[in-house]
Amino acid sequence: MDGSTLHRIAARTAMALPAVTETQPFGADTDVYKVVDRMFAMTADLRGVAIVNLKCAPPHGAALVRDFAEVSPGWHMDKRHWITLSPGPGLDEAMVEDLVANSWDLVVAGLPRARRPLDPTRGAQQP
């Protein structure tokens, strides 16, 4: 997967989730995706390479870093709770979509129950 495709899939997936806003607090070249004002994804260019930062459960993130050359500990983020995706042949559309949705789920699960958005495609409020 090339960098522009990585950014496009991550952005499309993030914006399709409930209660998501797109902001650019770090400048025009960095898009930050938030759910109820909490960041769950970021797309940027790092030294000319497209990257996507996503929240990830520590055991899952460690396994992804171990198994995929395109996944590294979160750039400029908490290395235990965030991962960075980079372009490469090991990523496919379904994987990027799943990782973005998983990041959203983790952030929503940390919100107070009354502030959690309802995802109609899942049929119930997030636990």
Side-chain angles (χ1 to χ4, degrees), residues 63-88:
L64 290 166
V65 167
R66 180 191 66 223
D67 295 341
F68 294 92
E70 298 82 2
V71 182
S72 58
W75 173 76
H76 217 306
M77 306 295 278
D78 179 328
K79 306 290 187 243
R80 195 163 171 261
H81 294 276
W82 289 82
I83 58 172
T84 297
L85 307 181
S86 300

Side-chain angles (χ1 to χ4, degrees), residues 3 5 13 19 25 28 30 51 64 69-70 88-89 113 118-119:
T5 302
T13 305
T30 303
I51 63 165
L64 290 166
E70 298 82 2
R113 191 172 291 273
L118 178 66
D119 181 349

Side-chain angles (χ1 to χ4, degrees), residues 31-113:
D31 295 323
V32 173
Y33 300 90
K34 297 179 177 182
V35 57
V36 190
D37 294 325
R38 298 236 179 127
M39 180 175 154
F40 72 95
M42 179 182 83
T43 61
D45 287 325
L46 176 60
R47 293 182 286 280
V49 177
I51 63 165
V52 176
N53 278 357
L54 300 168
K55 192 160 183 80
C56 193
H60 188 214
L64 290 166
V65 167
R66 180 191 66 223
D67 295 341
F68 294 92
E70 298 82 2
V71 182
S72 58
W75 173 76
H76 217 306
M77 306 295 278
D78 179 328
K79 306 290 187 243
R80 195 163 171 261
H81 294 276
W82 289 82
I83 58 172
T84 297
L85 307 181
S86 300
L91 296 180
D92 64 25
E93 185 171 353
M95 181 178 178
V96 174
E97 290 171 345
D98 287 347
L99 290 172
V100 171
N102 184 14
S103 182
W104 184 91
D105 287 340
L106 287 170
V107 171
V108 168
L111 293 170
R113 191 172 291 273

